[in-house]
């Protein structure tokens, strides 16, 4: 397998790398410069792999490209302990993965990108846009806190470590460092994810802008 990721530590690529580590699957990587103008994800060759022009893309051994981080997680996790067979629990895992993309990553992940790497930082955004990003990111983290607190859950679905936890961990693990308030239940859950056998950290930022 070959994973296209980025020169800066991308949470979306990290999710895939974290699951690959848990599964013990070896793979090759190409790190694209997504800060270049235009981004290296916009070349005709890369757009053939992902017409939407974003990493991660996982190319299977038969040459099939898979795009969208959470779709890649589902592909890799199928038939493993990281994705339940049971229809209801599988739907619950997907619920949190859709939540991550629609209500979390687009605020918390974008905030991280603006904080560390966006050449213009927050300066191209209005105060209203900045406040909206912040409020919606905080709301997502608060939703996670309430879910874990209700019944004192260990993990997001069925008390089992699944790809719901892996995808939510990627950007939540950095949320406090970029200024979001992270509650006790989420903090305990972050530690629980980190203590799973096979856990790996996100790669270091070679630009030195983002502390671990
Ligand atoms: N929904 C996509 C988001 C992918 C995405 O936004 N990738 C970013 C890096 S985290 C990227 O490739 N940015 C460069 C670009 O869009 O040109 C996923 O989960 O894979």
């Amino acid at each position: 397998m070959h994973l296209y990721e980025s020169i800066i530590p991308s949470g979306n690529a990290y999710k895939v790398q974290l699951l690959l580590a848990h599964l013990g699957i070896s793979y090759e990587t190409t790190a694209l410069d997504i800060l270049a103008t235009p981004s290296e994800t916009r070349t005709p060759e890369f757009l053939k792999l992902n017409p939407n022009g974003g990493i991660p893309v996982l190319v299977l051994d038969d040459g099939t490209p898979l795009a969208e981080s959470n779709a890649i997680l589902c592909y890799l996790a199928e038939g493993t302990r990281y994705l339940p067979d049971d229809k209801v629990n599988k739907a619950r895992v997907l619920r949190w993965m859709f939540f991550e993309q629609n209500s979390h990553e687009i605020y918390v992940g974008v905030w991280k990108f603006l904080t560390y790497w966006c050449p213009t930082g927050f300066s191209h955004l209005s105060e209203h846009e900045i406040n909206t990003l912040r409020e919606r990111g905080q709301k997502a983290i608060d939703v996670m806190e309430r879910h874990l607190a209700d019944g004192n859950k260990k993990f997001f679905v069925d008390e089992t470590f699944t790809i719901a936890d892996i995808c939510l961990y990627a950007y939540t693990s950095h949320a406090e460092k970029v200024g979001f308030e992270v509650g006790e239940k989420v903090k305990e859950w972050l530690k629980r994810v980190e203590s799973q056998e096979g856990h790996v950290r996100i790669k270091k930022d070679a630009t030195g802008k983002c502390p671990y």
Side-chain angles (χ1 to χ4, degrees), residues 6 8-13 15 34-35 39-42 46 50 52-57 67-72 100-101 105 113 171:
S6 103
I8 56 168
S10 147
N12 286 318
K15 293 170 195 175
I34 65 169
L35 300 178
S39 164
E40 285 182 1
T41 57
R42 302 306 152 100
F46 188 78
N50 180 7
N52 204 24
I55 57 93
V57 169
E68 288 295 328
S69 58
N70 288 353
I72 299 170
E100 190 267 346
Q101 286 286 290
E105 185 259 8
F113 180 75
Y171 287 102

Short mmCIF file of all heavy atoms in Angstrom, two decimals, residues 6 8-13 15 34-35 39-42 46 50 52-57 67-72 100-101 105 113 171, ligand 1:
data_model
loop_
_atom_site.label_atom_id
_atom_site.label_comp_id
_atom_site.label_asym_id
_atom_site.label_seq_id
_atom_site.Cartn_x
_atom_site.Cartn_y
_atom_site.Cartn_z
N SER A 6 1.06 14.49 3.86
CA SER A 6 1.55 15.84 3.62
C SER A 6 2.85 16.12 4.37
O SER A 6 3.17 15.42 5.34
CB SER A 6 0.48 16.86 4.00
OG SER A 6 0.76 17.46 5.22
N ILE A 8 3.46 18.66 6.21
CA ILE A 8 3.12 19.08 7.58
C ILE A 8 2.22 18.00 8.19
O ILE A 8 1.55 17.28 7.46
CB ILE A 8 2.43 20.48 7.62
CG1 ILE A 8 1.17 20.48 6.74
CG2 ILE A 8 3.40 21.57 7.23
CD1 ILE A 8 0.30 21.69 6.95
N PRO A 9 2.25 17.86 9.53
CA PRO A 9 1.49 16.76 10.13
C PRO A 9 -0.02 16.97 9.99
O PRO A 9 -0.61 17.81 10.69
CB PRO A 9 1.93 16.77 11.59
CG PRO A 9 2.57 18.09 11.83
CD PRO A 9 3.01 18.65 10.52
N SER A 10 -0.63 16.23 9.10
CA SER A 10 -2.07 16.33 8.85
C SER A 10 -2.81 15.34 9.74
O SER A 10 -2.51 14.14 9.75
CB SER A 10 -2.34 16.00 7.38
OG SER A 10 -3.60 15.36 7.24
N GLY A 11 -3.80 15.84 10.47
CA GLY A 11 -4.62 14.94 11.31
C GLY A 11 -5.36 13.92 10.47
O GLY A 11 -5.53 12.77 10.88
N ASN A 12 -5.80 14.32 9.29
CA ASN A 12 -6.55 13.38 8.44
C ASN A 12 -5.65 12.24 7.97
O ASN A 12 -6.09 11.09 7.90
CB ASN A 12 -7.17 14.12 7.25
CG ASN A 12 -8.37 14.96 7.66
OD1 ASN A 12 -9.20 14.51 8.46
ND2 ASN A 12 -8.46 16.18 7.15
N ALA A 13 -4.38 12.55 7.66
CA ALA A 13 -3.45 11.48 7.28
C ALA A 13 -3.07 10.65 8.51
O ALA A 13 -2.95 9.42 8.44
CB ALA A 13 -2.20 12.08 6.64
N LYS A 15 -4.85 9.86 11.11
CA LYS A 15 -5.87 8.85 11.43
C LYS A 15 -5.55 7.53 10.74
O LYS A 15 -5.63 6.46 11.31
CB LYS A 15 -7.24 9.25 10.85
CG LYS A 15 -7.90 10.41 11.40
CD LYS A 15 -9.09 10.73 10.48
CE LYS A 15 -9.59 12.11 10.77
NZ LYS A 15 -10.66 12.50 9.83
N ILE A 34 1.57 20.65 0.75
CA ILE A 34 0.24 21.25 0.62
C ILE A 34 0.27 22.75 0.92
O ILE A 34 -0.75 23.43 0.82
CB ILE A 34 -0.83 20.53 1.50
CG1 ILE A 34 -0.53 20.69 3.00
CG2 ILE A 34 -0.98 19.09 1.12
CD1 ILE A 34 -1.67 20.23 3.90
N LEU A 35 1.47 23.26 1.28
CA LEU A 35 1.61 24.71 1.49
C LEU A 35 2.11 25.41 0.23
O LEU A 35 2.15 26.65 0.18
CB LEU A 35 2.58 25.00 2.65
CG LEU A 35 2.19 24.41 4.01
CD1 LEU A 35 3.26 24.72 5.06
CD2 LEU A 35 0.84 24.93 4.48
N SER A 39 -0.87 23.94 -4.42
CA SER A 39 -0.57 22.75 -3.62
C SER A 39 -0.20 21.57 -4.52
O SER A 39 -0.75 21.43 -5.62
CB SER A 39 -1.81 22.40 -2.79
OG SER A 39 -1.72 21.09 -2.31
N GLU A 40 0.73 20.75 -4.05
CA GLU A 40 1.10 19.56 -4.84
C GLU A 40 -0.05 18.57 -4.98
O GLU A 40 0.07 17.59 -5.71
CB GLU A 40 2.32 18.87 -4.21
CG GLU A 40 3.60 19.64 -4.48
CD GLU A 40 4.86 18.96 -3.92
OE1 GLU A 40 4.77 17.87 -3.32
OE2 GLU A 40 5.93 19.57 -4.09
N THR A 41 -1.15 18.82 -4.28
CA THR A 41 -2.33 17.97 -4.44
C THR A 41 -3.15 18.37 -5.67
O THR A 41 -4.17 17.77 -5.95
CB THR A 41 -3.26 18.05 -3.21
OG1 THR A 41 -3.62 19.42 -3.02
CG2 THR A 41 -2.60 17.51 -1.97
N ARG A 42 -2.67 19.41 -6.38
CA ARG A 42 -3.45 19.89 -7.55
C ARG A 42 -2.81 19.51 -8.87
O ARG A 42 -3.22 20.01 -9.91
CB ARG A 42 -3.63 21.42 -7.48
CG ARG A 42 -4.32 21.92 -6.23
CD ARG A 42 -5.66 21.20 -6.04
NE ARG A 42 -6.01 21.14 -4.63
CZ ARG A 42 -6.86 21.94 -4.02
NH1 ARG A 42 -7.46 22.86 -4.70
NH2 ARG A 42 -7.11 21.79 -2.74
N PHE A 46 -1.99 13.79 -9.40
CA PHE A 46 -2.65 13.55 -8.12
C PHE A 46 -4.17 13.64 -8.26
O PHE A 46 -4.91 12.88 -7.63
CB PHE A 46 -2.16 14.53 -7.03
CG PHE A 46 -2.69 14.15 -5.68
CD1 PHE A 46 -2.12 13.11 -4.96
CD2 PHE A 46 -3.80 14.79 -5.14
CE1 PHE A 46 -2.64 12.71 -3.73
CE2 PHE A 46 -4.33 14.40 -3.90
CZ PHE A 46 -3.74 13.36 -3.19
N ASN A 50 -7.31 11.54 -6.62
CA ASN A 50 -8.40 12.17 -5.86
C ASN A 50 -8.81 13.46 -6.55
O ASN A 50 -8.15 14.50 -6.39
CB ASN A 50 -7.96 12.47 -4.42
CG ASN A 50 -9.08 13.12 -3.62
OD1 ASN A 50 -10.22 13.22 -4.10
ND2 ASN A 50 -8.77 13.55 -2.42
N ASN A 52 -10.79 15.54 -5.86
CA ASN A 52 -11.04 16.62 -4.91
C ASN A 52 -9.75 17.28 -4.44
O ASN A 52 -9.78 18.27 -3.71
CB ASN A 52 -11.85 16.08 -3.72
CG ASN A 52 -12.64 17.15 -3.02
OD1 ASN A 52 -12.96 18.19 -3.63
ND2 ASN A 52 -12.94 16.94 -1.76
N GLY A 53 -8.60 16.72 -4.83
CA GLY A 53 -7.32 17.36 -4.57
C GLY A 53 -6.93 17.49 -3.11
O GLY A 53 -6.46 18.54 -2.69
N GLY A 54 -7.09 16.43 -2.34
CA GLY A 54 -6.65 16.48 -0.94
C GLY A 54 -6.03 15.17 -0.51
O GLY A 54 -6.32 14.12 -1.08
N ILE A 55 -5.13 15.27 0.46
CA ILE A 55 -4.62 14.06 1.10
C ILE A 55 -5.47 13.80 2.33
O ILE A 55 -6.09 14.75 2.83
CB ILE A 55 -3.10 14.19 1.48
CG1 ILE A 55 -2.84 15.39 2.40
CG2 ILE A 55 -2.27 14.30 0.21
CD1 ILE A 55 -2.85 15.10 3.82
N PRO A 56 -5.55 12.59 2.85
CA PRO A 56 -4.82 11.40 2.46
C PRO A 56 -5.47 10.67 1.29
O PRO A 56 -6.69 10.72 1.12
CB PRO A 56 -4.88 10.53 3.72
CG PRO A 56 -6.21 10.89 4.34
CD PRO A 56 -6.38 12.35 4.08
N VAL A 57 -4.61 9.99 0.53
CA VAL A 57 -5.09 9.00 -0.44
C VAL A 57 -4.27 7.74 -0.19
O VAL A 57 -3.05 7.80 -0.07
CB VAL A 57 -4.88 9.49 -1.90
CG1 VAL A 57 -5.11 8.35 -2.88
CG2 VAL A 57 -5.81 10.66 -2.22
N ALA A 67 -9.80 7.69 -1.40
CA ALA A 67 -9.70 9.04 -0.82
C ALA A 67 -10.69 9.17 0.34
O ALA A 67 -11.54 8.31 0.54
CB ALA A 67 -10.00 10.07 -1.90
N GLU A 68 -10.57 10.28 1.07
CA GLU A 68 -11.38 10.62 2.25
C GLU A 68 -10.92 9.76 3.44
O GLU A 68 -11.14 8.55 3.49
CB GLU A 68 -12.89 10.46 2.03
CG GLU A 68 -13.49 11.52 1.12
CD GLU A 68 -13.43 12.94 1.71
OE1 GLU A 68 -13.50 13.09 2.93
OE2 GLU A 68 -13.30 13.88 0.91
N SER A 69 -10.33 10.44 4.41
CA SER A 69 -9.72 9.74 5.54
C SER A 69 -10.65 8.72 6.20
O SER A 69 -10.26 7.59 6.48
CB SER A 69 -9.24 10.75 6.59
OG SER A 69 -10.31 11.55 7.04
N ASN A 70 -11.91 9.12 6.44
CA ASN A 70 -12.78 8.21 7.18
C ASN A 70 -13.25 7.04 6.32
O ASN A 70 -13.52 5.95 6.85
CB ASN A 70 -13.95 8.99 7.80
CG ASN A 70 -13.48 9.84 8.96
OD1 ASN A 70 -12.32 9.74 9.37
ND2 ASN A 70 -14.36 10.67 9.49
N ALA A 71 -13.33 7.24 5.00
CA ALA A 71 -13.65 6.12 4.11
C ALA A 71 -12.48 5.13 4.11
O ALA A 71 -12.68 3.91 4.11
CB ALA A 71 -13.92 6.63 2.70
N ILE A 72 -11.26 5.66 4.15
CA ILE A 72 -10.08 4.79 4.19
C ILE A 72 -10.08 3.99 5.49
O ILE A 72 -9.81 2.79 5.50
CB ILE A 72 -8.78 5.62 4.05
CG1 ILE A 72 -8.76 6.37 2.70
CG2 ILE A 72 -7.55 4.73 4.17
CD1 ILE A 72 -7.63 7.40 2.58
N GLU A 100 -17.49 13.81 13.00
CA GLU A 100 -16.11 14.33 12.98
C GLU A 100 -15.87 15.19 11.74
O GLU A 100 -15.24 16.24 11.81
CB GLU A 100 -15.13 13.14 13.04
CG GLU A 100 -13.67 13.53 13.27
CD GLU A 100 -12.86 13.72 12.01
OE1 GLU A 100 -13.33 13.31 10.93
OE2 GLU A 100 -11.78 14.29 12.07
N GLN A 101 -16.39 14.73 10.60
CA GLN A 101 -16.16 15.48 9.36
C GLN A 101 -17.04 16.71 9.24
O GLN A 101 -16.60 17.75 8.76
CB GLN A 101 -16.38 14.57 8.15
CG GLN A 101 -15.26 13.57 7.95
CD GLN A 101 -14.00 14.20 7.39
OE1 GLN A 101 -13.95 14.61 6.23
NE2 GLN A 101 -12.96 14.29 8.19
N GLU A 105 -13.90 18.42 12.55
CA GLU A 105 -12.65 18.66 11.81
C GLU A 105 -12.68 20.00 11.07
O GLU A 105 -11.66 20.70 11.02
CB GLU A 105 -12.42 17.50 10.82
CG GLU A 105 -11.11 17.55 10.07
CD GLU A 105 -11.27 18.06 8.65
OE1 GLU A 105 -12.38 18.53 8.28
OE2 GLU A 105 -10.29 18.04 7.92
N PHE A 113 -4.85 24.45 11.59
CA PHE A 113 -4.13 24.85 10.37
C PHE A 113 -3.89 26.36 10.36
O PHE A 113 -2.79 26.84 10.06
CB PHE A 113 -4.92 24.42 9.12
CG PHE A 113 -4.24 24.79 7.84
CD1 PHE A 113 -3.13 24.08 7.40
CD2 PHE A 113 -4.68 25.88 7.09
CE1 PHE A 113 -2.46 24.43 6.22
CE2 PHE A 113 -4.02 26.24 5.92
CZ PHE A 113 -2.92 25.52 5.48
N TYR A 171 -7.70 15.16 15.70
CA TYR A 171 -7.67 16.62 15.93
C TYR A 171 -7.97 17.00 17.37
O TYR A 171 -7.48 18.04 17.85
CB TYR A 171 -8.62 17.34 14.96
CG TYR A 171 -8.07 17.35 13.56
CD1 TYR A 171 -8.55 16.48 12.59
CD2 TYR A 171 -7.03 18.22 13.21
CE1 TYR A 171 -8.02 16.47 11.30
CE2 TYR A 171 -6.49 18.21 11.93
CZ TYR A 171 -7.00 17.34 10.98
OH TYR A 171 -6.47 17.33 9.72
N1 LIG B 1 -12.47 15.33 4.12
C1 LIG B 1 -11.12 15.08 3.71
C2 LIG B 1 -10.30 16.31 4.01
C3 LIG B 1 -8.95 16.24 3.33
C4 LIG B 1 -8.15 17.51 3.55
O1 LIG B 1 -8.70 18.58 3.85
N2 LIG B 1 -6.84 17.38 3.37
C5 LIG B 1 -5.97 18.51 3.53
C6 LIG B 1 -4.88 18.18 4.53
S1 LIG B 1 -5.54 17.76 6.10
C7 LIG B 1 -5.33 18.82 2.19
O2 LIG B 1 -4.99 17.94 1.43
N3 LIG B 1 -5.14 20.11 1.92
C8 LIG B 1 -4.48 20.54 0.73
C9 LIG B 1 -5.38 20.93 -0.37
O3 LIG B 1 -6.62 20.87 -0.19
O4 LIG B 1 -4.87 21.28 -1.40
C10 LIG B 1 -10.56 13.85 4.43
O5 LIG B 1 -11.00 13.57 5.54
O6 LIG B 1 -9.70 13.15 3.87
#
